[in-house]
Amino acid sequence: MGTDIHGFIEVRDRFIDLSEPDDEDEILRWHPAGALDHYYDGRSYYAFGCLFGVRDRTFEPLAPGRGFPEDASRASTRAFREDTDAHSPSWISWGELESAAWDEPAASRVHSRAFEYHRGPDGEWVWYGCGTSDERLAELTKTSLRTVMHADEHWPEGTEWLDGDRLFRISRLTRRQVVPDEEWGDVWTVMKTLAKRHGPDHVRLVVWFDN
């Protein structure tokens, strides 16, 4: 059974309680800016672990187990309570995401399978994936598929194999690789845009998971 992520992008803005006509004081309250599934519909355990410590511990998570915020927006609270399988709620602000060390490599270990890079239009190597062409790497190394599926046990970090416009390398994942803009870019764009107006600590992503 797989694990899925749910949640809302929230923004904290001024609010006047119109039910109290004599009270014109403004307070700050969290409001929903959009459901997460409008911007992200993937299921990457690397990303879940990197961000919130769920299903994977390759990285020290950025915001693990903070719980569901008591001041969450009504939409977030309602959706969370209605999800009977909800677990591992947490949240993270745009300020924290913006300042995260996205190029930090995994501290725990070299990845078990080789990384694949393709040569880009500018001649630079662009990360393509890991374990994406195991059969071809087995041919290049004259070993078995089983061997290359546990490449970290057979070759030291930094070992490379050139295959035309493709390169294989024994390496470590970075946060940017497991939370790529190709998958999370829409989420970051919305949060960044809101932060320009409201401030980085007044925009957050509230999440929970279910199985």
Side-chain angles (χ1 to χ4, degrees), residues 3-73:
T3 299
D4 293 309
I5 189 171
H6 306 278
F8 280 81
I9 297 172
E10 295 187 335
V11 59
R12 185 161 52 185
D13 200 357
R14 294 177 180 84
F15 172 81
I16 298 177
D17 189 351
L18 298 179
S19 66
E20 299 291 341
D22 296 330
D23 185 3
E24 296 183 357
D25 292 338
E26 291 184 339
I27 60 176
L28 291 175
R29 178 173 293 180
W30 288 99
H31 304 273
L36 177 60
D37 60 11
H38 291 171
Y39 312 106
Y40 174 82
D41 61 356
R43 181 192 279 176
S44 169
Y45 296 155
Y46 280 130
F48 296 172
C50 177
L51 293 170
F52 303 107
V54 174
R55 290 298 300 256
D56 183 79
R57 283 284 180 166
T58 300
F59 295 88
E60 184 67 27
L62 298 179
R66 291 180 170 178
F68 191 81
E70 294 182 359
D71 59 352
S73 66

Side-chain angles (χ1 to χ4, degrees), residues 96-205:
E96 292 172 298
L97 288 165
E98 191 174 35
S99 62
W102 290 106
D103 292 320
E104 177 186 4
S108 59
R109 59 182 173 82
V110 172
H111 197 271
S112 60
R113 298 164 83 174
F115 290 4
E116 181 176 343
Y117 299 82
H118 291 182
R119 196 183 300 277
D122 58 358
E124 298 294 323
W125 292 112
V126 179
W127 190 72
Y128 180 76
C130 54
T132 43
S133 301
D134 286 337
E135 292 183 356
R136 176 54 183 160
L137 183 57
E139 294 176 359
L140 289 173
T141 58
K142 296 181 173 56
T143 58
S144 67
L145 188 59
R146 179 179 177 82
T147 296
V148 300
M149 290 181 69
H150 300 276
D152 61 321
E153 300 176 2
H154 301 278
W155 295 282
E157 182 175 2
T159 303
E160 295 182 343
W161 297 270
L162 183 63
D163 185 27
D165 285 336
R166 178 165 56 179
L167 178 74
F168 297 96
R169 179 185 296 150
I170 305 300
S171 188
R172 298 173 187 262
L173 290 167
T174 66
R175 293 186 184 274
R176 193 182 306 279
Q177 288 171 329
V178 301
V179 192
D181 286 342
E182 291 83 356
E183 297 178 7
W184 290 84
D186 289 344
V187 179
W188 306 154
T189 296
V190 172
M191 295 183 73
K192 182 178 181 179
T193 301
L194 290 169
K196 288 180 179 178
R197 177 179 178 182
H198 300 278
D201 295 327
H202 291 269
V203 179
R204 69 185 179 187
L205 176 61

Side-chain angles (χ1 to χ4, degrees), residues 77-91:
T77 301
R78 181 171 57 252
F80 175 67
R81 290 176 176 173
E82 290 177 351
D83 188 346
T84 57
D85 294 324
H87 64 82
S88 307
S90 195
W91 60 271

